[in-house]
Amino acid sequence: MDKNKNIERKVVFWPGNIIVAEAAIAAGCRFFGGYPITPSSEIAHVMSKRLPEVKGKFIQMEDEIAAMGAVIGASLTGMKAMTATSGPGFSLKQENIGYACMIEAPCVVVNVMRGGPSTGLPTAIGQSDIMQARWGTHGDRPVIALTPAYSDEVYSETIRAFNLAEKFRTPVFLLIDEVLGHLSERLEIPDPSEYELIERPRPTVKPEDYNPYDPSFGDVPPIADYFSGYRYHTTGLNHDMTGFPTTSQELGQSEQERMIRKVMSKVDEFESYEEYMTEDADILIVTFGSTARAAMVAVSDARAAGIKAGLFRPITLWPFPEDKLRELSKNIKGIVVPEANLGQLIYEIQRVAHCDAPIVGVNKVGGVPIYPNEILVKIKELV
Amino acid sequence: MQQLAHLKKFTEVADREIMHSGHVACPGCGAALAMRLALKTLGRDTIIVFPACCWAVIDGPFPYSASGVPVFQVAFETAAISAGAISAGLEATGKKGINVVAWAGDGGTMDIGFGQLSAAAERNDHIIYVCYDNEAYMNTGIQRSSATPWGAWTTTTPGKDFKQEHKKNLVEIMAAHRIPYAATATVAYPDDLVRKFRKAMSTEGFKLIHIFSPCPPGHKALEKDTILESRYAVESRVFPLYEVERGTDYKLSMDPPKRQVNDYLALQGRFKHLTSEQRMFIQHKVEEEWIRLRHRMRVSEAMG
């Protein structure tokens, strides 16, 4: 987001959940299908009030998979659509998330992560759904998950989630957590002139020439809005470019490969991360979301104690910014991976990092955020 | 003592207290009182199955449990089938005389758990299914459910967009499954409530008890008015007390002098935005439903 200094922005003091809802509306979201679940419910509350004001539609559904289904249906009519949930609800949505990937329906799924598994800790922080976002629904598919850490980033990443969903015709996950969802912070609402809004590719060919998964239009084929004059078939089954089911191995393979390729071949265009004092770092901290805020303090404290620590914070958690981490990890003496779970991101770091140095986790569950000092202790252990 | 013995003639509610103090319900909670009355009747040989709902919290955090009986807390949509499976397990292991009670809120019953409730009823699982109905998702912050009545404010039916759909009729839906016993109850009529639990305990197969359960924070009502709201719901015929045996035999439990629906609405802030025309609309709908209910009762009588 390009910040223009001459623009007067509205300043608000909002919790993350309200920011998500308002940013979604700013991004053009006009449909919300949801089910009550703590700690994400405030997003639904705001959407139920705000969407009718902007001629949008809010529907409270009877359960989580229905909410996901509603979002998919709305998306196919051409609307920008969103749902919001938390851990158990994210589990319940998974079948329809896979369906959205398969039919390539653009949509945004917000997960305000809480402690798990099962009912877990409805009112307290967890960061334990990141592997579920990556692998939760069955089958191979592209995954885009964004993990903002600050209120202004919650706003901008919500807008980006819609843009990426539209651009790639795929569900995009916005993963925040209970702390970010409920933490009120000062926010300067960006002016619409400061960001771009992307619309899905729509067909320009004659209706009789249209195929919903036509690879000749590239890896992201245009998608026609329902009842816009284009007739096509939608199915969760293996399908060919017409959208009808196929048992052809070759067509099945090429379609699935295209689905992955449409995102993975463009990673350079949207991969994002933050580096803090990594230039000369001996110890690298890799973390995301609200935990990264504690890590920032830990880096400063370590520097004050004479330890060259640095922070690498992926914002696009999936696809993981692997090239950058590989480069940063070359001459490092150790990597610390703090996360509010019992060790999930650390597997990705172990896979990607290009070093023989120790990789250690700082893992805390039970509903209390990781404190800077807990990270600092690990940094000191590695030196 | 003699005086007490004399008083006892006036109530069938047992002296014993199974549920004890220390629960974490809000003041004036109808669901807490309903549980207290139910357990007095059910006794200690009872297991309660909670899905996600207020009572999953009310029972208390470790190491406290206010219910005084074993509690099994399950996933949101699974109260009926979990209870059904426990009942089957007890039967298979030869353990008799244990009440297996699914105790779920209106969201867990009429929304997310609805498919599994229907399945357990169709299999005629030997359980008592209690829906304590506070007419919204109170535990997650007062979001509308399919049990929220027309015209009510909730956090997801805000402002002028108050709820535009009518409440599901749970007892009729379950009666259509032809279950052995279905009944409505509420905390303002404790004798009626405990009698229905006794009836359910002595009936084989699937039993439903639908308890109207005032929620002061969710209904925007005074804590002291829980019993009054509960009584007005019955007197105004918003929530008539009746039983249905074998899915077809309707029987009215009581027919108190009729009260205007507005008396019931006026106790609750969640209806305060309603115009007099809208209040009349609700009155009209309530009367229609009452006629239908009485008609079913006449059919039951005629068919013997």
Side-chain angles (χ1 to χ4, degrees):
Chain A
M1 204 169 282
D2 306 320
K3 285 219 164 172
N4 184 339
K5 281 181 184 165
N6 299 322
I7 288 174
E8 231 179 79
R9 299 183 196 87
K10 187 182 167 193
V11 179
V12 294
F13 188 68
W14 283 343
N17 282 346
I18 311 272
I19 296 172
V20 168
E22 290 292 344
I25 288 169
C29 174
R30 291 296 178 268
F31 181 89
F32 185 95
Y35 187 71
I37 185 163
T38 310
S40 79
S41 296
E42 295 86 357
I43 300 174
H45 297 174
V46 174
M47 289 308 241
S48 74
K49 187 168 182 295
R50 290 282 281 117
L51 278 177
E53 292 171 6
V54 293
K55 296 192 170 65
K57 181 79 180 164
F58 168 90
I59 308 182
Q60 190 182 312
M61 301 302 292
E62 69 276 22
D63 60 30
E64 294 282 359
I65 193 166
M68 192 63 216
V71 163
I72 294 167
S75 172
L76 292 181
T77 70
M79 288 176 113
K80 289 186 181 176
M82 175 172 92
T83 185
T85 188
S86 186
F90 199 48
S91 298
L92 288 165
K93 287 185 192 304
Q94 290 297 334
E95 187 189 0
N96 252 344
I97 287 173
Y99 179 77
C101 294
M102 188 60 156
I103 67 164
E104 302 180 54
C107 56
V108 173
V109 180
V110 184
N111 180 350
V112 187
M113 291 185 285
R114 66 195 220 185
S118 187
T119 313
L121 287 160
T123 57
I125 184 177
Q127 291 182 311
S128 52
D129 303 348
I130 57 171
M131 282 299 174
Q132 192 190 17
R134 179 67 190 85
W135 301 109
T137 192
H138 63 280
D140 297 310
R141 74 232 164 260
V143 174
I144 302 175
L146 310 177
T147 54
Y150 302 93
S151 63
D152 56 345
E153 214 171 73
V154 170
Y155 197 95
S156 59
E157 290 302 297
T158 302
I159 289 175
R160 204 157 74 99
F162 280 95
N163 282 346
L164 294 173
E166 293 285 313
K167 182 174 180 178
F168 292 113
R169 270 189 79 172
T170 195
V172 171
F173 303 127
L174 182 74
L175 304 177
I176 61 172
D177 58 59
E178 187 276 333
V179 165
L180 277 178
H182 288 157
L183 178 72
S184 291
E185 282 187 289
R186 185 181 185 278
L187 169 72
E188 284 183 32
I189 298 179
D191 186 81
S193 65
E194 294 176 278
Y195 50 83
E196 180 196 12
L197 293 183
I198 297 174
E199 288 282 330
R200 64 192 67 181
R202 291 185 166 88
T204 50
V205 296
K206 281 188 243 157
E208 54 270 32
D209 298 332
Y210 176 66
N211 284 305
Y213 307 102
D214 191 342
S216 66
F217 287 94
D219 289 335
V220 188
I223 177 171
D225 301 344
Y226 276 173
F227 293 94
S228 62
Y230 293 84
R231 289 184 65 187
Y232 68 99
H233 193 257
T234 309
T235 177
L237 286 162
N238 234 8
H239 48 257
D240 61 14
M241 73 172 187
T242 65
F244 281 99
T246 177
T247 52
S248 154
Q249 184 273 323
E250 290 80 7
L251 288 172
Q253 175 133 1
S254 65
E255 271 295 283
Q256 283 208 32
E257 284 178 351
R258 177 185 59 74
M259 252 166 50
I260 304 281
R261 192 174 59 235
K262 72 177 176 182
V263 171
M264 295 313 291
S265 67
K266 296 286 190 328
V267 161
D268 293 347
E269 293 178 14
F270 67 91
E271 181 177 271
S272 61
Y273 47 78
E274 185 194 26
E275 289 178 78
Y276 178 60
M277 302 188 113
T278 52
E279 301 82 10
D280 60 342
D282 291 330
I283 305 293
L284 187 67
I285 303 171
V286 185
T287 186
F288 63 98
S290 67
T291 303
R293 301 171 66 144
M296 289 282 264
V297 180
V299 166
S300 302
D301 291 351
R303 290 268 169 178
I307 302 165
K308 287 179 181 169
L311 170 69
F312 178 64
R313 175 171 75 88
I315 300 171
T316 50
L317 195 68
W318 308 120
F320 190 81
E322 10 189 311
D323 291 347
K324 188 66 199 177
L325 180 67
R326 207 164 279 137
E327 179 197 319
L328 287 175
S329 60
K330 268 179 190 158
N331 301 309
I332 220 81
K333 290 184 180 145
I335 300 180
V336 182
V337 188
E339 43 185 336
N341 58 50
L342 292 181
Q344 296 190 12
L345 186 64
I346 196 166
Y347 287 115
E348 187 70 2
I349 311 304
Q350 285 164 344
R351 185 182 75 80
V352 169
H354 199 84
C355 63
D356 297 324
I359 301 173
V360 297
V362 178
N363 304 104
K364 192 168 173 184
V365 294
V368 176
I370 294 172
Y371 299 138
N373 193 46
E374 292 165 331
I375 302 169
L376 188 62
V377 166
K378 281 281 181 206
I379 295 172
K380 285 180 174 169
E381 276 174 23
L382 282 181
V383 176
Chain B
M1 281 310 285
Q2 211 171 356
Q3 266 181 327
L4 274 177
H6 175 71
L7 276 175
K8 267 179 197 166
K9 287 178 192 166
F10 290 98
T11 178
E12 292 181 44
V13 180
D15 282 349
R16 63 173 171 185
E17 295 288 357
I18 308 282
M19 184 180 148
H20 46 79
S21 57
H23 68 75
V24 294
C26 307
C29 175
L33 182 52
M35 178 66 89
R36 181 184 165 208
L37 293 167
L39 283 171
K40 277 168 171 279
T41 315
L42 291 162
R44 290 210 185 268
D45 288 341
T46 298
I47 177 162
I48 304 244
V49 181
F50 294 130
C53 64
C54 286
W55 250 101
V57 178
I58 292 172
D59 193 45
F62 178 83
Y64 307 105
S65 171
S67 50
V69 294
V71 162
F72 188 47
Q73 204 233 308
V74 300
F76 208 167
E77 60 278 42
T78 64
I81 52 161
S82 302
I86 290 169
S87 176
L90 291 174
E91 191 190 337
T93 50
K95 297 191 177 79
K96 291 189 169 65
I98 299 165
N99 302 305
V100 182
V101 179
W103 186 277
D106 47 293
T109 299
M110 292 183 239
D111 290 346
I112 196 167
F114 195 55
Q116 303 189 5
L117 170 68
S118 173
E122 187 268 338
R123 282 190 300 264
N124 202 22
D125 288 350
H126 180 56
I127 62 168
I128 301 173
Y129 189 101
V130 179
C131 172
Y132 68 99
D133 181 1
N134 47 31
E135 302 194 319
Y137 289 83
M138 298 312 184
N139 193 32
T140 48
I142 324 176
Q143 294 89 6
R144 63 91 89 184
S145 76
S146 60
T148 304
W150 186 93
W153 165 91
T154 68
T155 51
T156 52
T157 52
K160 63 183 187 337
D161 300 311
F162 55 77
K163 194 174 173 213
Q164 299 290 299
E165 301 83 21
H166 292 281
K167 181 185 174 83
K168 265 185 197 172
N169 190 324
L170 179 65
V171 171
E172 278 193 28
I173 293 166
M174 297 316 289
H177 286 68
R178 301 295 182 251
I179 54 172
Y181 185 67
T184 60
T186 187
V187 289
Y189 300 89
D191 280 291
D192 179 71
L193 187 144
V194 302
R195 184 180 65 73
K196 285 166 176 169
F197 270 89
R198 269 203 296 276
K199 172 84 180 167
M201 286 164 71
S202 63
T203 305
E204 272 297 308
F206 193 95
K207 287 83 58 178
L208 171 87
I209 299 180
H210 181 195
I211 302 178
F212 174 69
S213 187
C215 167
H219 295 184
K220 305 283 168 219
L222 296 175
E223 292 150 11
K224 70 174 178 61
D225 283 346
T226 292
I227 299 296
L228 201 63
E229 182 189 326
S230 199
R231 186 181 303 140
Y232 282 9
V234 176
E235 290 178 352
S236 64
R237 297 167 176 173
V238 166
F239 193 83
L241 295 178
Y242 65 104
E243 294 164 284
V244 190
E245 288 190 55
R246 295 172 293 280
T248 50
D249 303 341
Y250 281 70
K251 200 161 76 189
L252 197 64
S253 309
M254 62 182 64
D255 189 11
K258 191 183 156 193
R259 178 179 287 282
Q260 288 300 299
V261 170
N262 198 42
D263 292 355
Y264 165 75
L265 301 176
L267 291 174
Q268 304 168 66
R270 64 175 171 154
F271 295 116
K272 73 169 183 212
H273 53 270
L274 294 178
T275 62
S276 54
E277 288 79 20
Q278 288 166 331
R279 284 161 202 265
M280 280 312 294
F281 172 73
I282 297 174
Q283 176 79 48
H284 177 67
K285 284 283 166 193
V286 165
E287 283 173 12
E288 265 183 22
E289 286 300 318
W290 175 257
I291 291 165
R292 283 198 188 90
L293 182 64
R294 293 312 301 256
H295 183 67
R296 282 192 182 80
M297 282 160 194
R298 279 196 295 278
V299 172
S300 303
E301 280 164 26
M303 293 181 73

